[in-house]
Amino acid sequence: MKLKQAVVGTAMLAGMTTAAYAQSAGSFTVTTGWFHLAPQSSSKPLKVTSIGGSPTNITEPNTGATLSSADTIGLALGYFITDHIATEFVVGYPPSFDLNGSGSLEQFGKIGQAKQWSPTLLFKYYFNAPTATFRPYLGIGVSRIWFTDEKITNGAFQANVLHGPTSVTTDSSWEPVFNLGFTYAFNEHWFAGASVSYLPLSTTAKLNTQAKTPVGTLNVQSETKIKLNPIVTYVNIGYRF
């Protein structure tokens, strides 16, 4: 009888230990992995808004730009508020996007580049029991988006279209994030996962050019609105505390 009680007690203790490390309320997770960002991009035609300090509204027809895809490494820190609801903070090394001309600008190929920063806060709802090996989830959140190192890299585009040295700035914004994915547990600590996110993102690129004209060098300001709308995939490995 004592042997039987000891076996039952050991089994119960093992079950309690496993549950303590499940994806349950109070547990922390950390993941790292690979992000692939695939912009579904398009842009408005380039619009000249000022010449020599005088406001203008000149649209350059059939001009546009698209963004290349990009890859980067990322890190996510998560916390389970309940057995099914978790919050997660996601950051990644800022990927660099190439800006390629479209329409009449397609002949120039790559015309510029920029790095994107997008720290994100997600709230996820996990399905299945906390101890389940496979747990799909749905998530929603918000991301703060801004760009750095924006620059024109194509000399021919800068000389023949913009007509002089040009600096670039972009807007920053808060954007919603829609997310779905799953985790697969190997044991009580280690797991792998994959997710897909969508961000309805757009930004306005503002160009400031010292344009060479027949009457001398004039400051010319122009802008274009670029829709990125990236689909972001994240394949990762994680550890549960």
Side-chain angles (χ1 to χ4, degrees):
M1 179 63 73
K2 290 183 178 180
L3 178 59
K4 182 178 180 180
Q5 290 176 340
V7 172
V8 173
T10 302
M12 291 178 63
L13 180 60
M16 291 173 62
T17 302
T18 302
Y21 289 101
Q23 292 176 326
S24 55
S27 62
F28 289 88
T29 62
V30 58
T31 68
T32 186
W34 201 252
F35 282 102
H36 178 72
L37 298 89
Q40 312 302 299
S41 59
S42 62
S43 73
K44 297 288 188 181
L46 187 68
K47 182 171 68 174
V48 180
T49 59
S50 174
I51 298 177
S54 300
T56 61
N57 188 19
I58 303 170
T59 298
E60 301 287 348
N62 196 33
T63 56
T66 60
L67 272 76
S68 66
S69 59
D71 296 279
T72 191
I73 192 169
L75 177 72
L77 304 175
Y79 175 73
F80 276 80
I81 302 169
T82 72
D83 288 352
H84 294 277
I85 298 174
T87 183
E88 188 174 66
F89 180 66
V90 186
V91 293
Y93 185 81
S96 181
F97 289 96
D98 292 339
L99 186 67
N100 301 307
S102 62
S104 65
L105 304 181
E106 187 174 0
Q107 60 182 308
F108 295 102
K110 177 183 174 181
I111 58 178
Q113 64 185 41
K115 290 182 178 180
Q116 177 189 312
W117 300 74
S118 54
T120 300
L121 180 64
L122 290 170
F123 289 90
K124 299 179 176 181
Y125 183 86
Y126 282 78
F127 300 90
N128 296 342
T131 53
T133 300
F134 177 77
R135 297 197 74 185
Y137 60 79
L138 293 175
I140 191 169
V142 64
S143 184
R144 179 63 176 175
I145 310 289
W146 72 93
F147 296 86
T148 60
D149 298 333
E150 309 102 313
K151 57 186 175 183
I152 301 298
T153 58
N154 189 304
F157 168 74
Q158 188 166 249
N160 298 322
V161 178
L162 301 176
H163 305 295
T166 301
S167 61
V168 185
T169 59
T170 52
D171 292 338
S172 59
S173 62
W174 292 93
E175 302 294 345
V177 181
F178 304 96
N179 172 256
L180 62 86
F182 69 88
T183 61
Y184 183 89
F186 300 117
N187 55 43
E188 61 188 24
H189 290 293
W190 291 98
F191 63 94
S195 69
V196 178
S197 300
Y198 174 73
L199 290 77
L201 169 64
S202 63
T203 187
T204 299
K206 299 177 181 178
L207 289 70
N208 193 313
T209 303
Q210 299 305 310
K212 297 176 182 179
T213 73
V215 296
T217 300
L218 295 176
N219 177 258
V220 176
Q221 297 179 0
S222 53
E223 63 180 39
T224 181
K225 185 175 183 179
I226 303 173
K227 290 185 178 180
L228 285 77
N229 296 344
I231 296 174
V232 183
T233 53
Y234 180 44
V235 179
N236 59 79
I237 186 78
Y239 188 86
R240 184 181 305 109
F241 296 89

